[in-house]
Amino acid sequence: MVRSIADQTVEELGGPGSVLARQRRDHVELDRLLHELDGATGRAQEDVLTRIDRLVFSHAFAEETVLWPVVRRVLPDGEALTLRVEEEHQEVNELVTELETLGHDDPRRAERLARLVAVLREDVRDEEDVLLPRLQERLDPAELRRLGRQWEFTRRIAPTRAHPTVSRRPPGNALSALPLSVLDRTRDVVDAVVRRAPGQLAPAGEAVSRGLAGLAGLVERVPAARRGDRPPTSR
């Protein structure tokens, strides 16, 4: 019977550089942020959601481009295992995109937010209890560390925002990664400046952010960005 990576030591996971240890560190940080989100309202809630987004979307992109193709190659049921997680990632993308359009007084917001938290927790459990332990059975520690370096590099240059129409698999996600990452990370900087800027400068910064979002939307809709998806996640 496989053991959850949540119950293993760092050494058992292949060392701190192992992809399993790196994944778990992100999951621990996500859990901390979800606890911080609980009960937060207004601007505080938006700030926590922003930090969750920046963690979750770069993490998921690294999984989808680096990790899940390996799972499909080395596990006989890798296709089914990764498709389940990709469906969870797709739902997270759609929920975050919808939440960005809902005001704080919208009656749908609390339900959508609760669903987002539930899907994120479900995703962690599917990965830590099922998928990653199965991968651990097939790869030795050196391979896990090599995969960890690839995963970390990809995570650091990945898009940081929801893109629900982009493929969850190569080649679409890989082809769209560079322009979306540049646009997302530029928008992150602009939004951070807007939050600190004097009130009279905020409208200009917000206009720039909306323009960058519009460009990202165009990239998402390029046919090449949608190649590789399976029907359950295709939009």
Side-chain angles (χ1 to χ4, degrees):
M1 187 175 186
V2 296
R3 288 174 61 206
S4 171
I5 71 166
D7 301 328
Q8 299 184 43
T9 67
V10 172
E11 289 69 28
E12 288 175 312
L13 296 177
S18 160
V19 69
L20 305 180
R22 294 176 191 270
Q23 287 269 121
R24 189 172 68 179
R25 284 198 293 272
D26 272 10
H27 291 167
V28 169
E29 174 63 9
L30 175 61
D31 183 66
R32 187 190 69 77
L33 289 170
L34 291 176
H35 279 101
E36 188 176 341
L37 180 66
D38 187 28
T41 58
R43 171 58 67 181
Q45 184 185 90
E46 289 295 338
D47 289 345
V48 180
L49 281 171
T50 295
R51 283 181 279 153
I52 289 173
D53 291 351
R54 302 303 171 265
L55 173 68
V56 164
F57 291 121
S58 59
H59 175 103
F61 180 83
E63 289 177 336
E64 292 167 355
T65 55
V66 173
L67 201 50
W68 299 164
V70 175
V71 172
R72 288 191 285 271
R73 188 176 72 244
V74 303
L75 294 178
D77 56 345
E79 170 67 28
L81 289 172
T82 56
L83 185 57
R84 173 177 172 80
V85 173
E86 287 165 347
E87 289 182 78
E88 292 166 348
H89 290 182
Q90 181 64 31
E91 186 173 2
V92 168
N93 272 264
E94 293 174 358
L95 285 165
V96 168
T97 299
E98 184 178 7
L99 280 166
E100 290 174 348
T101 71
L102 300 179
H104 288 281
D105 56 349
D106 192 301
R108 296 169 293 175
R109 185 177 180 84
E111 184 272 330
R112 298 296 194 275
L113 195 59
R115 179 58 186 165
L116 174 63
V117 171
V119 176
L120 288 171
R121 292 199 181 282
E122 181 181 350
D123 181 66
V124 169
R125 293 276 54 82
D126 283 340
E127 292 176 9
E128 291 195 351
D129 299 347
V130 181
L131 198 154
L132 295 175
R134 294 282 309 284
L135 180 66
Q136 186 181 28
E137 292 179 328
R138 293 300 185 106
L139 301 182
D140 63 34
E143 291 173 313
L144 290 171
R145 290 190 292 272
R146 177 185 56 78
L147 199 56
R149 290 190 293 272
Q150 295 175 355
W151 180 91
E152 182 65 26
F153 174 78
T154 302
R155 186 176 73 92
R156 289 180 179 274
I157 62 171
T160 59
R161 297 188 180 238
H163 297 292
T165 62
V166 169
S167 173
R168 304 264 70 84
R169 295 190 178 192
N173 58 357
L175 291 171
S176 62
L178 179 58
L180 288 178
S181 182
V182 171
L183 290 167
D184 285 359
R185 290 171 184 270
T186 303
R187 192 177 170 201
D188 292 345
V189 172
V190 171
D191 287 354
V193 171
V194 167
R195 285 194 293 271
R196 297 193 301 269
Q200 64 268 27
L201 298 180
E206 291 167 356
V208 172
S209 183
R210 287 194 300 271
L212 292 168
L215 289 174
L218 293 176
V219 173
E220 285 189 53
R221 287 162 178 77
V222 171
R226 305 166 81 169
R227 289 174 53 199
D229 249 347
R230 295 299 181 267
T233 61
S234 179
R235 298 294 182 271

